[in-house]
Amino acid sequence: MKVLVIGGGAREHALCRSLSLDPDVSALYCAPGNAGIAEVAELRPVDALDGAAVAALAGELGADLVVVGPEAPLVAGVGDAVRAAGIPVFGPSGAAAQLEGSKAFAKDVMAAAGVPTARSYVCTTAEEVDAALDAFGAPYVVKDDGLAAGKGVVVTEDREAARAHAAGCDRVVIEEYLDGPEVSLFAITDGVTVLPLQPAQDFKRALDGDEGPNTGGMGAYSPLPWADPKLVDEVLETVLQPTVDELRHRGTPFSGLLYAGLALTSRGTRVIEFNARFGDPETQVVLARLRTPLAGVLLGAANGTLNALPPLSWRDEAAVTVVIASHNYPGTPRTGDPIEGLAEVAAEDGPEAYVLHAGTRQEGDAVVSAGGRVLSVTATGSDLAQARERAYKAVARIRLDGAQHRTDIAAKAAEGR
């Protein structure tokens, strides 16, 4: 099987790493990729938002499967263009990807499907915003209705901060605050059959102790030793399958990766948001634990044959990933700084620990930073404590001027708290 992966972040590096280890994959390409992905896949230039260009590249390469990583190309309908060229695609249509592209659309789907979620208002004026903030009170949850690269949500006790975020968006969803721990659960689906993966937890705030501004994610771990063993079955029954069924009944079947962001509240499990693609950094830890070869599962989703596949097989190990971010992230990041220590991690810590590249590029013989989140250092171990120890040991080898990372990823879970 020849596979083309679209994107260039740590999620795509994790996907390419797993695909490169799959014996059924005879050729692996990534467009545009990054410096780390170049070690496991052949890079090709492409405008990831140009469906015709992606379809042409897939045809030129003779790809048997195209995997669209990021949300923006999916919402832009890149998957539709590739499918129209007769090439199987892992990723939903532009219409189905509105589940992530519009928070208001997602709320409408959940209401029709009977999926438990926070009560909410869709607001387009300052007056509507004030009324919604009054209705729910603090903490205020304000979400940009459209795509915002993981940074479109503000949760704050400060009413003026909530109003300011709303004022910067064309349309916002304001909803009640959901208490309790958050969980990410991915599911692979062909539009009928839904195959849940193992749950993970990510860390959105920039600083230790869940302080600081919201980010795209500073680390993650899996499994969740504190979670109810029946959680995955419950979410499949009450959230994932009803949502996939509702979208199919609407004539916009969803195939690809359905990501449910969940809050385990005092009143039961509630959906915070849906995404239409693998999440970063949770993908890094979930795929580290998946034993089943990945390509056949993704192709099954693209071809509508998931029901013919055997159950997924998982490794017993735990996995932890720690994000190394550039100076000033999540503000405007500084880029172009050389990254050192990558070879040391590969030589000293593999295969239990390895580095997945997010915002990097090759400059001559050097790898330099090229984005806000630069690297995801991922490790496995017999339990979370060992995986965590290995991940941070590898993090300590990386040298990047002005870099920042959280020191408490998976700490409470590893200690049984």
Side-chain angles (χ1 to χ4, degrees), residues 80-157:
D80 300 277
V82 179
R83 261 186 287 267
I87 301 168
V89 180
F90 181 80
S93 65
Q98 285 301 310
L99 202 61
E100 176 169 5
S102 168
K103 304 289 189 297
F105 175 77
K107 287 289 187 183
D108 184 61
V109 170
M110 283 188 269
V115 169
T117 186
R119 293 178 297 126
S120 63
Y121 294 101
V122 179
C123 307
T124 56
T125 68
E127 292 76 18
E128 289 174 347
V129 167
D130 283 335
L133 295 176
D134 287 340
F136 291 130
Y140 304 107
V141 181
V142 184
K143 299 181 175 182
D144 190 336
D145 182 51
L147 294 180
K151 296 190 280 287
V153 180
V154 165
V155 181
T156 179
E157 297 277 352

Side-chain angles (χ1 to χ4, degrees), residues 269-355:
T269 301
R270 299 285 185 273
V271 174
I272 301 169
E273 64 174 356
F274 283 125
N275 290 334
R277 38 73 196 182
F278 278 103
D280 180 347
E282 300 97 319
T283 302
Q284 289 86 302
V285 292
V286 172
L287 291 186
R289 299 186 56 226
L290 180 65
R291 180 180 279 121
T292 301
L294 184 61
V297 183
L298 303 187
L299 185 63
N303 285 340
T305 56
L306 277 185
N307 64 343
L309 297 182
L312 296 177
S313 172
W314 296 92
R315 296 184 177 91
D316 292 333
E317 293 104 327
V320 171
T321 195
V322 179
V323 170
I324 297 178
S326 56
H327 176 74
N328 200 43
Y329 179 76
T332 303
R334 191 174 78 204
T335 60
D337 290 313
I339 303 165
E340 298 177 338
L342 297 172
E344 291 171 39
V345 174
E348 302 291 337
D349 300 307
E352 293 84 8
Y354 48 90
V355 180

Side-chain angles (χ1 to χ4, degrees), residues 205-213 406:
R205 298 286 183 171
L207 306 176
D208 285 3
D210 292 326
E211 300 289 335
R406 283 185 58 161

Side-chain angles (χ1 to χ4, degrees), residues 190-329:
D190 57 11
V192 179
T193 301
V194 181
L195 212 57
L197 306 185
Q198 290 290 301
Q201 186 173 59
D202 78 331
F203 294 75
K204 288 289 188 204
R205 298 286 183 171
L207 306 176
D208 285 3
D210 292 326
E211 300 289 335
N214 215 34
T215 73
M218 295 298 291
Y221 69 93
S222 179
L224 312 182
W226 48 267
D228 187 326
K230 299 191 292 291
L231 175 66
V232 173
D233 289 340
E234 176 205 332
V235 174
L236 175 62
E237 183 181 335
T238 63
V239 174
L240 300 170
Q241 192 71 57
T243 300
V244 168
D245 291 345
E246 172 64 21
L247 285 165
R248 187 176 68 255
H249 295 150
R250 288 177 177 226
T252 51
F254 187 107
S255 71
L257 194 290
L258 177 58
Y259 166 137
L262 308 165
L264 309 188
T265 78
S266 52
R267 302 186 309 283
T269 301
R270 299 285 185 273
V271 174
I272 301 169
E273 64 174 356
F274 283 125
N275 290 334
R277 38 73 196 182
F278 278 103
D280 180 347
E282 300 97 319
T283 302
Q284 289 86 302
V285 292
V286 172
L287 291 186
R289 299 186 56 226
L290 180 65
R291 180 180 279 121
T292 301
L294 184 61
V297 183
L298 303 187
L299 185 63
N303 285 340
T305 56
L306 277 185
N307 64 343
L309 297 182
L312 296 177
S313 172
W314 296 92
R315 296 184 177 91
D316 292 333
E317 293 104 327
V320 171
T321 195
V322 179
V323 170
I324 297 178
S326 56
H327 176 74
N328 200 43
Y329 179 76

Side-chain angles (χ1 to χ4, degrees), residues 317-318 320 322 345 349 351-354 377-397:
E317 293 104 327
V320 171
V322 179
V345 174
D349 300 307
E352 293 84 8
Y354 48 90
V377 180
T378 304
T380 56
S382 59
D383 56 20
L384 284 174
Q386 186 180 54
R388 192 172 179 278
E389 179 187 346
R390 287 172 171 170
Y392 278 105
K393 184 178 178 184
V395 166
R397 300 188 197 276

Side-chain angles (χ1 to χ4, degrees), residues 357-379:
H357 292 230
T360 69
R361 68 173 181 269
Q362 194 84 32
E363 281 192 359
D365 293 334
V367 176
V368 303
S369 61
R373 291 186 295 173
V374 181
L375 304 168
S376 286
V377 180
T378 304

